[in-house]
Every structure is written in structure tokens, then in C-alpha cells.
């Protein structure tokens, strides 16, 4: 049985594309056949995060318009051979793909792939409605920050109106030391406020930046906390019961240094 | 963090309280249907006890700094007879 998962957020820049890339790689590392569909029209990014930017020949709009078969447009990952990308178009016309067309494409993809992950544009306009149309499940990415949580609530409302009941939350860019000081919302707070089940909490991690620089998602890095968090989410998507990770507490010396200045 | 009995709210607690209030408003705003349904339900229940002036009735959400109240102003035009509870 294949599953179509849309990764969405409301507010931009909270980590949708990062999450899509990492979950895609993680699911493929477990042997699943995975296709990532970038629907953020005009703002092509997912190819960069996967290191596939030089291999793109055709895009989603070419496929939807019937110019090429989807198999021709898919870009296979260099390292993870069961992972494919369907890149978004660089043209700015956001209405180039309508919901029915994406539903139809996903029906085709379901025949061949175990997981179809859709990277959604920010906002609640047409692009959002298109991205969610085919989804069995939505992952809402948010950050521990009031505006991101508020926008997540909007998106959750919109998903409800579109009869999408299966919604999971990912809280990204948590800074454990700020949480410890009582200066940042934690997963429990956000879970309580939004009343949506959390499927993961990802710490803010410099390795996300360096791995993005290299085009190799952080989930492949054994020693990264964010990587571990993404591996846990992948396990939960696959139905495993995995306890939420404890973030490393600030060390005694680091605390002393903070208290007594530099 | 509380030091020596200082009882100031942490910034996370402030964020949580503000979010709770703003989401009540957001959710009521995006769904005027829900407010209309609530209004109809209130009318139905109250009409068992008294006649009310539906045109002049007002219901709304009002906020304080850290809480939200459902405020209803419902003019009563006639009280029904007390038929007893049983
Ligand atoms: N857990 C994280 N730790 C550090 N940086 C992150 C993390 N998640 C995302 N970022 C950074 O935040 C920025 C926005 O992420 P992106 O995935 O492009 O967001 P979106 O697709 O929602 O707009 C990127 O520069 C990315 O590297
Ligand atoms: Mg993005």
C-alpha cells in the first residue's frame, strides 16, 4: 500500500523542504521506493538539498501538460537508488498545476512507489490546495515561535476543511538550552496548543546547514542530533513506536561560562 | 526559571498564554459559521424558558489580557410560566 504525504507549514522558512528531503532519504535508506514531488512552483529548492540540481531535464509542469511522461522527468538519486525527484518548474505561474491534475499524477505514482512525498509552498493559496489534494496524510512543520504556531493552526484548519483528518506535527529548530531556561516553547506546549499529535521534534543543528551546503541531507550523518530526530520520524512513519529523544542538556562548564559572561 | 521567589512569567509562558488567546479569535474568525451555529443553539435553549428578542441579541468573544470570554447580550421580551421541573 502506498502513501501520499504532504509536507506543509503555513509560514515559510520553517523547514518544509529540509524535512521532505530528509524523510525521503530516510525512507529510501530503508529500502522503500520513494518519489519526492516539489510543488513549490517558481522556487525550486528540493533539487539543491538532494544534490540533484545538475541532472534536471524536465519538470512537473512538463509532466502535467503532457509534454513528457513522468518517468522521463524523474531524477534518480545518485546514492539512494530507490529515491526519485520530480522537480518543480522555474516558471512563476502558480496556477499551472491544478488539484485534479496532481491527484491524477499521484494515482499513477501510487502504482510504482511506496511513498510519495509532496513538498508544499508556503501560504494557503492555490498552490497549497493543489499540494494537499492527493494526500492521505499531512505533516505540518512548525517552529517553537508564536507566529509559526499561529500559522500552523491556520493550516490545520484548512486541512480540516479539505477533509484531511490524518495530520501530524513536526516541531523543527528547537533550541534545548532556551527551552531549559523557559525561553522557548517545547513540543509539549505546542502539542497542547494545537491539539495535533507530534511525530517529531528536530533540534536546531548547524549540521543541517553544512549538509545542505553539500547537498547531502543530515539524516545520513550518524552523529547529528537533527539526523537522529529525522531517523526517528522515519521510523514512526513506518509504524514503529519510538520514544521522543532527550536533547543534550547544557554542560556544567558551558553554563558557568554563560552565567559569568565570556 | 524562578530565583529567590521572583514570580515573573518566563517568556515561554507568555508566548503560550498569548497564543491560546489569539487562536481562539483566529478560529472564531475563520469560521463565522461556527459562531452562527452557536447563536442558533443558544436561542434554541433559552427559548425553552423565555421569549427573547432575536434581532437585538449580540454574542461575541471579548478579550482580556490573558483570557477570552464569550459575552452574550440577550434582551428578554417575555418570561414563560414556570411549569415546574417534574
Ligand atoms: N533543524 C534545523 N537546524 C538548522 N537549520 C535549519 C533546520 N531546519 C531548517 N533549517 C534551515 O532553515 C532554512 C529554511 O528551511 P527550508 O527547509 O528551506 O524551509 P521551507 O521549505 O519551509 O521554506 C534553511 O536555510 C535551512 O537550512
Ligand atoms: Mg521550501
Amino acid at each position: 500500500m502506498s502513501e501520499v504525504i504532504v509536507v506543509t507549514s503555513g509560514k515559510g522558512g520553517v523547514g518544509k523542504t529540509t524535512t521532505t528531503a530528509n524523510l525521503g532519504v530516510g525512507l529510501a535508506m530503508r529500502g522503500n521506493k520513494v518519489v519526492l514531488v516539489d510543488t513549490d512552483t517558481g522556487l525550486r529548492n528540493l533539487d539543491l538539498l538532494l544534490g540533484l540540481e545538475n541532472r534536471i531535464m524536465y519538470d512537473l509542469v512538463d509532466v502535467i501538460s503532457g509534454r513528457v511522461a513522468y518517468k522521463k522527468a524523474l531524477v534518480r538519486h545518485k546514492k539512494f537508488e530507490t529515491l526519485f525527484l520530480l522537480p518543480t518548474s522555474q516558471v512563476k505561474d502558480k496556477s499551472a498545476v491544478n488539484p485534479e491534475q496532481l491527484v491524477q499524477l499521484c494515482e499513477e505514482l501510487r502504482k510504482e512507489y511506496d511513498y510519495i512525498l509532496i513538498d508544499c509552498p508556503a501560504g494557503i493559496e492555490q498552490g497549497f490546495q493543489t499540494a494537499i489534494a492527493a494526500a492521505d496524510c499531512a505533516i505540518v512543520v512548525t517552529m517553537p515561535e508564536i507566529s509559526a504556531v499561529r500559522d500552523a493552526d491556520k493550516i490545520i484548519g484548512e486541512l480540516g476543511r479539505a477533509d484531511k483528518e490524518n495530520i501530524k506535527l513536526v516541531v523543527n529548530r528547537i533550541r534545548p538550552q532556551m527551552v531549559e531556561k523557559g525561553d522557548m516553547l517545547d513540543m509539549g506546549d505546542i502539542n497542547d496548543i494545537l491539539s495535533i499529535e507530534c511525530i517529531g521534534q528536530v533540534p536546531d543543528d548547524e549540521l543541517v546547514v553544512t549538509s545542505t551546503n553539500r547537498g547531502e541531507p543530515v539524516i545520513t550523518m550518524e552523529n547529528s542530533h537533527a539526523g537522529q530526530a529525522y531517523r526517528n520520524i522515519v521510523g514512526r512513519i513506518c509504524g514503529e513506536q519510538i520514544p521522543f529523544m532527550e536533547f543534550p542538556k547544557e554542560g556544567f562548564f558551558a553554563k558557568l561560562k554563560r552565567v559569568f559572561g565570556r | 526559571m524562578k530565583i529567590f521567589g521572583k514570580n515573573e512569567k518566563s517568556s515561554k509562558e507568555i508566548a503560550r498564554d498569548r497564543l491560546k488567546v489569539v487562536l481562539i479569535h483566529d478560529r472564531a474568525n475563520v469560521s463565522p459559521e461556527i459562531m452562527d451555529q452557536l447563536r442558533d443553539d443558544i436561542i434554541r435553549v433559552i427559548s425553552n424558558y423565555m421569549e427573547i428578542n432575536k434581532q437585538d441579541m449580540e454574542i461575541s468573544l471579548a478579550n482580556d489580557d490573558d483570557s477570552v470570554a464569550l459575552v452574550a447580550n440577550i434582551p428578554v421580551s417575555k418570561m414563560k410560566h414556570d411549569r415546574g421541573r417534574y
Side-chain angles (χ1 to χ4, degrees):
Chain A
M1 252 282 290
S2 65
E3 196 171 5
V4 180
I5 304 173
V6 64
V7 180
T8 178
S9 74
K11 192 173 159 74
V14 299
K16 289 178 296 297
T17 305
T18 305
T19 300
T20 309
N22 279 287
L23 299 185
V25 168
L27 288 165
M29 278 162 57
R30 287 173 168 244
N32 294 294
K33 287 189 80 178
V34 183
V35 56
L36 307 182
V37 183
D38 188 351
T39 65
D40 198 352
T41 315
L43 299 167
R44 187 187 278 172
N45 276 330
L46 195 48
D47 56 336
L48 282 173
L49 267 64
L50 294 163
L52 297 177
E53 67 275 14
N54 293 326
R55 301 181 165 209
I56 295 174
M57 301 284 288
Y58 303 104
D59 61 42
L60 179 62
V61 172
D62 293 322
V63 174
I64 292 295
S65 66
R67 276 194 288 276
V68 298
Y70 81 78
K71 285 196 171 155
K72 252 180 117 176
L74 289 183
V75 184
R76 185 195 284 266
H77 196 275
K78 291 170 279 191
K79 196 153 149 208
F80 307 104
E81 300 215 317
T82 58
L83 178 64
F84 295 82
L85 170 69
L86 182 49
T88 191
S89 153
Q90 286 285 53
V91 300
K92 287 189 208 77
D93 184 7
K94 296 215 179 239
S95 56
V97 184
N98 68 38
E100 295 73 37
Q101 289 168 324
L102 196 66
V103 169
Q104 211 187 337
L105 173 64
C106 286
E107 284 311 311
E108 286 294 304
L109 294 170
R110 277 179 202 270
K111 295 176 194 160
E112 298 272 341
Y113 297 90
D114 302 314
Y115 290 97
I116 298 145
L117 266 55
I118 300 175
D119 186 16
C120 183
I124 45 176
E125 278 82 58
Q126 152 103 61
F128 165 77
Q129 299 296 345
T130 296
I132 67 168
D136 305 314
C137 165
I139 292 179
V140 175
V141 182
T142 189
M143 274 170 54
E145 186 192 276
I146 47 177
S147 54
V149 175
R150 181 189 203 173
D151 290 356
D153 191 66
K154 270 250 163 61
I155 285 296
I156 291 161
E158 290 295 324
L159 287 165
R161 265 183 286 286
D163 288 325
K164 305 287 173 188
E165 302 297 343
N166 190 353
I167 307 173
K168 300 284 189 320
L169 202 66
V170 167
V171 182
N172 189 24
R173 307 198 71 166
I174 296 174
R175 293 164 67 177
Q177 292 168 19
M178 289 192 73
V179 170
E180 213 185 335
K181 279 192 281 175
D183 276 333
M184 185 176 264
L185 297 164
D186 63 22
M187 187 180 69
D189 297 320
I190 296 174
N191 181 227
D192 174 40
I193 291 164
L194 296 177
S195 313
I196 293 286
E197 190 196 335
C198 285
I199 197 173
Q201 51 173 347
V202 183
D204 198 84
D205 188 341
E206 288 180 4
L207 293 175
V208 171
V209 179
T210 53
S211 67
T212 302
N213 288 343
R214 295 201 176 87
E216 294 165 6
V218 74
I219 193 167
T220 58
M221 301 178 73
E222 277 301 321
N223 57 351
S224 154
H225 295 297
Q228 183 60 50
Y230 281 122
R231 287 192 288 278
N232 290 351
I233 297 174
V234 169
R236 293 184 194 111
I237 290 175
C238 297
E240 291 166 17
Q241 296 287 331
I242 300 172
F244 285 100
M245 65 197 275
E246 292 277 334
F247 292 127
K249 293 268 188 289
E250 187 178 18
F252 177 69
F253 288 105
K255 200 173 257 170
L256 268 186
K257 213 162 145 193
R258 181 163 57 71
V259 171
F260 292 108
R262 267 151 279 218
Chain B
M1 215 203 304
K2 290 183 187 104
I3 305 167
F4 303 128
K6 226 196 263 173
N7 217 352
E8 266 176 37
K9 273 188 185 173
S10 69
S11 76
K12 156 235 180 92
E13 286 169 321
I14 295 170
R16 199 173 47 200
D17 293 345
R18 290 175 65 209
L19 265 169
K20 282 189 175 160
V21 172
V22 81
L23 291 192
I24 292 173
H25 278 273
D26 283 358
R27 289 180 192 178
N29 269 337
V30 291
S31 56
E33 318 91 72
I34 296 286
M35 292 305 277
D36 284 349
Q37 273 175 28
L38 172 64
R39 188 190 148 94
D40 291 347
D41 283 352
I42 290 176
I43 292 175
R44 198 165 35 74
V45 171
I46 292 183
S47 302
N48 291 332
Y49 301 87
M50 54 196 88
E51 274 175 33
I52 58 178
N53 183 342
K54 290 172 199 163
Q55 273 73 47
D56 294 343
M57 140 174 199
E58 280 171 29
I59 65 166
S60 59
L61 293 169
N63 38 326
D64 212 344
D65 262 357
D66 54 2
S67 64
V68 175
L70 176 69
V71 180
N73 189 344
I74 307 169
V76 179
S77 43
K78 207 190 235 172
M79 206 60 197
K80 293 199 173 170
H81 278 295
D82 180 5
R83 295 203 190 92
R85 278 180 76 102
Y86 301 103

